[in-house]
Amino acid sequence: MWKRLKPNRKNLRIYQVLILVLLLAFWYIGTNPNVPAIYFDDVNKAPFFFGEPLKVASRLWDWFYGGEIYAHLWVTLVETMLAFAIGTVAGLAIGLWLGLAPAWADVFDPFIKGANAMPRVILAPIFMVWFGLGIGSKVALGFTLVFFIVFFNVYQGVREVSPVVLANARMLGANNRQLLRSVYLPSAMSWVFASLHNAVGLAFVGAVVGEYLGSASGVGYLIHQAEGVFDINTVFAGIILLTVFAIVLDWIVGMIEKRLMVWQPRAGETERM
Amino acid sequence: MSALLLDDITCTFISRDDPAARYTAVRNASIAVGEGEFVSVVGPTGCGKSTLLNVAAGLLQPSSGDCKVFGKTLEGINSHAGYLFQTESLMPWRRALDNVIAGLQFRGVPKEEAVPRGEEWLARVGLAGFGGRYPHQLSGGQRKRVALAQCLILDPKIILMDEPFSALDVQTRQLMENELLELWAADRKSVLFITHDLEEAIALSDRVIVLSAGPETHPIGEFAIDLPRPRDVSEVRLTPRFLELHEKIWHAMKEEVLKGYRQQLKA
Ligand SMILES: Nc1ncnc2c1ncn2[C@@H]1O[C@H](COP(=O)(O)OP(=O)(O)OP(=O)(O)O)[C@@H](O)[C@H]1O
Ligand SMILES: [Mg+2]
């Protein structure tokens, strides 16, 4: 009996849906004003703090059906993608450069460590002053978050290139440019992809936090507005929207990774008869 | 004139953790490989064989002495040489065929021309139809053979081989050894072949050089192998002359191995 219930490949999805349903049910019952209060002294307090799933759902429905959300979602998406793209390219370029020039890496080491250790979210208000309340300040914030993650991974990846593979490529006649293209880049790629999953999430954090702190559009702005009037259902709708959005972005990165990293050994490639 | 001359090479490594510590792996070693000659180097493990080969390839700068290639002092990578490494050297992100033709591509040969040549070479090392596999999908011996094709497709004048067949089973090994001898006989390349297998060294070479135990390794004996060619590596091992040579060289080596061992005990 237990053997059949044990999580495996086949019932994986069933378990996942089951857990989701349980969470929603718990949320629904716990915040339903018609159910006697368990923790709070008043049945209306729980829905005030945690929202009500049905109202959250109807909020989401209104957003998409009414079309109000698309402009905001688009703004957040553009900010995220720009921060992600610029941060990744810059991290890749500078990571490659410093990885290949250890002397310069030593020179910059304390500055990079310092810049990375700094709590960068604090920079958000400064970026508002520098780049205004539009897209620029959000992209800048996301960039500072994405850049370091990608940079450190590329740097590490370049330094971990197998010396034998490198020597072999040189013996086969590769010049420096060819070494970069045929050895350093592909070798660093596995590290880069490991970092991109984090990076895409952080680009998103940069955009939303930036919007939350000051802007006139974007999902972060919507959440901030709703919080101002204690509209907890809208806040939760925004959070759910952002979560789904982040999962989709991560999934896209995963798909690209699967495409490009076919050469990597994976466990268990035999077929079971 | 030698195709390859290692002239009075000394290699002293500096320890990374303790800059004051030195380890002299090779001292005053000279090895010459004539044009079209097949020279093997045998020596106990850790004595500095790979180190010497890296110097010959131009990958390692010796502390003193120099390396001459066709009479010219070597600077940078030895472009006349192909190198078969002791450890994994294939690019894991390239399929077998793409690995084989990598050198051609680096030299600017167009892909349409490189691919058929690569396939031909894969077939020659017994891997026809394996071109689409990534290195991790090949066995250790198959990877070694891909590396062999990758090296030989460039038709180098000098071939440096670092225990290339030690990962293969005895039968495949003898097949590959015969194949190597055939290739070598076809257009007389100069070969510097490293092995710790004395029988393999004798069966293949014109000359066998025995290295002393480390540290401060240097050649302690050179033996001309006058076995007639063409040879079949499995048959030549049974001839009386082979056994005689084996006895003689092994005698010289054994003393050295014991000497090195005693030195290590004293230290
Ligand atoms: N980069 C290095 N730094 C310090 N010591 C080194 C370095 N490379 C090699 N050595 C030392 O030099 C000696 C010779 O090494 P080498 O790799 O040439 O041995 P080998 O004869 O090829 O051995 P094997 O038959 O096991 O491959 C060893 O004692 C090794 O520890
Ligand atoms: Mg070695």
Side-chain angles (χ1 to χ4, degrees):
Chain A
M1 183 63 192
W2 170 235
K3 240 186 185 157
R4 300 257 302 280
L5 286 178
K6 226 165 139 181
N8 60 32
R9 269 184 120 87
K10 271 178 228 146
N11 60 22
L12 175 77
R13 291 269 174 257
I14 301 174
Y15 268 104
Q16 287 172 338
V17 170
L18 209 67
I19 290 173
L20 185 68
V21 169
L22 273 177
L23 281 174
L24 288 176
F26 180 69
W27 187 14
Y28 177 75
I29 295 167
T31 57
N32 195 332
N34 302 322
V35 177
I38 310 162
Y39 177 78
F40 295 103
D41 47 14
D42 184 336
V43 286
N44 286 317
K45 269 194 182 165
F48 177 77
F49 282 114
F50 296 103
E52 285 169 76
L54 288 183
K55 286 187 181 159
V56 170
S58 87
R59 172 89 280 193
L60 282 169
W61 173 257
D62 288 347
W63 272 350
F64 281 96
Y65 194 67
E68 179 198 353
I69 195 67
Y70 295 112
H72 292 289
L73 208 50
W74 174 248
V75 169
T76 305
L77 180 71
V78 167
E79 289 162 354
T80 304
M81 290 325 262
L82 277 178
F84 180 66
I86 301 173
T88 302
V89 170
L92 202 66
I94 297 186
L96 276 175
W97 173 50
L98 288 186
L100 295 173
W104 283 110
D106 290 342
V107 170
F108 283 111
D109 184 63
F111 300 100
I112 290 167
K113 288 230 176 83
N116 183 47
M118 183 170 50
R120 271 156 279 145
V121 176
I122 293 303
L123 294 175
I126 301 176
F127 286 149
M128 306 265 161
V129 177
W130 290 354
F131 302 111
L133 293 180
I135 273 186
S137 52
K138 284 84 196 170
V139 174
L141 184 61
F143 171 85
T144 60
L145 299 173
V146 169
F147 170 80
F148 284 98
I149 290 251
V150 176
F151 165 79
F152 281 116
N153 277 279
V154 173
Y155 181 69
Q156 190 70 12
V158 168
R159 309 209 359 162
E160 305 257 319
V161 170
S162 153
V164 182
V165 172
L166 197 60
N168 190 30
R170 288 173 66 198
M171 286 309 293
L172 294 172
N175 59 28
N176 282 340
R177 249 196 45 232
Q178 290 164 332
L179 281 185
L180 189 68
R181 263 205 51 200
S182 301
V183 180
Y184 285 112
L185 261 181
S187 169
M189 251 9 225
S190 46
W191 290 76
V192 172
F193 272 110
S195 73
L196 288 191
H197 286 282
N198 284 329
V200 77
L202 284 175
F204 201 48
V205 168
V208 173
V209 169
E211 286 165 2
Y212 187 86
L213 291 179
S215 74
S217 56
V219 181
Y221 162 78
L222 283 185
I223 293 178
H224 188 59
Q225 289 294 87
E227 272 179 1
V229 295
F230 295 103
D231 179 1
I232 203 76
N233 289 321
T234 304
V235 173
F236 271 97
I239 292 173
I240 288 173
L241 187 59
L242 291 180
T243 307
V244 171
F245 202 72
I247 290 174
V248 170
L249 287 179
D250 191 70
W251 178 77
I252 293 172
V253 171
M255 291 305 284
I256 299 173
E257 178 177 13
K258 234 184 188 167
R259 256 299 197 33
L260 290 182
M261 304 305 282
V262 275
W263 56 270
Q264 277 193 328
R266 237 174 267 124
E269 284 182 340
T270 53
E271 183 189 12
R272 273 187 65 85
M273 297 296 180
Chain B
M1 183 177 58
S2 315
L4 180 71
L5 176 66
L6 293 171
D7 191 7
D8 205 20
I9 301 284
T10 299
C11 288
T12 303
F13 291 108
I14 306 174
S15 164
R16 199 171 287 170
D17 316 314
D18 175 11
R22 295 283 186 283
Y23 182 82
T24 302
V26 177
R27 183 179 292 285
N28 304 121
S30 297
I31 291 176
V33 183
E35 249 172 275
E37 196 183 16
F38 197 123
V39 175
S40 288
V41 173
V42 289
T45 172
C47 74
K49 304 182 294 291
S50 300
T51 305
L52 275 173
L53 212 60
N54 281 333
V55 171
L59 291 167
L60 185 71
Q61 187 75 31
S63 309
S64 73
D66 42 26
C67 173
K68 293 209 172 72
V69 180
F70 294 108
K72 282 208 202 86
T73 302
L74 182 64
E75 272 168 49
I77 293 288
N78 185 346
S79 56
H80 293 288
Y83 194 153
L84 265 177
F85 289 82
Q86 184 174 10
T87 45
E88 296 290 333
S89 64
L90 295 178
M91 290 172 257
W93 44 85
R94 282 182 177 234
R95 297 167 194 275
L97 180 64
D98 295 322
N99 259 298
V100 172
I101 64 172
L104 293 177
Q105 288 183 315
F106 292 149
R107 280 165 174 68
V109 176
K111 196 155 185 182
E112 316 82 79
E113 195 182 313
V115 166
R117 280 168 71 185
E119 269 160 1
E120 192 189 310
W121 267 102
L122 274 176
R124 277 175 96 161
V125 295
L127 288 174
F130 284 81
R133 302 255 195 121
Y134 285 98
H136 79 268
Q137 297 166 321
L138 296 168
S139 77
Q142 288 170 335
R143 286 199 286 265
K144 266 271 132 70
R145 285 185 272 159
V146 173
L148 185 68
Q150 184 188 50
C151 166
L152 294 181
I153 197 172
L154 296 174
D155 197 22
K157 291 212 182 80
I158 303 169
I159 308 177
L160 308 170
M161 303 178 107
D162 196 349
E163 305 188 17
F165 302 138
S166 49
L168 305 179
D169 61 283
V170 183
Q171 288 82 2
T172 318
R173 187 172 179 160
Q174 292 188 346
L175 282 177
M176 296 299 295
E177 286 168 355
N178 278 333
E179 177 80 5
L180 176 65
L181 280 184
E182 226 165 86
L183 284 167
W184 171 78
D187 52 1
R188 289 283 165 151
K189 298 172 186 309
S190 309
V191 180
L192 186 56
F193 188 96
I194 282 180
T195 177
H196 50 230
D197 180 349
L198 183 53
E199 290 192 23
E200 183 180 42
I202 299 172
L204 293 173
S205 327
D206 296 321
R207 202 147 48 87
V208 173
I209 295 174
V210 179
L211 293 182
S212 69
E216 312 206 341
T217 299
H218 52 95
I220 50 160
E222 265 193 46
F223 301 84
I225 308 297
D226 48 9
L227 297 167
R229 295 198 189 262
R231 300 176 193 162
D232 180 289
V233 288
S234 48
E235 284 166 17
V236 81
R237 278 168 216 240
L238 306 172
T239 60
R241 181 66 187 143
F242 182 95
L243 297 174
E244 216 172 285
L245 283 164
H246 188 275
E247 172 74 29
K248 197 165 101 190
I249 302 174
W250 175 237
H251 190 70
M253 265 179 92
K254 200 164 63 183
E255 261 171 39
E256 192 47 45
V257 172
L258 288 175
K259 212 191 297 169
Y261 184 64
R262 260 181 255 126
Q263 267 172 8
Q264 273 181 359
L265 280 186
K266 255 183 250 160

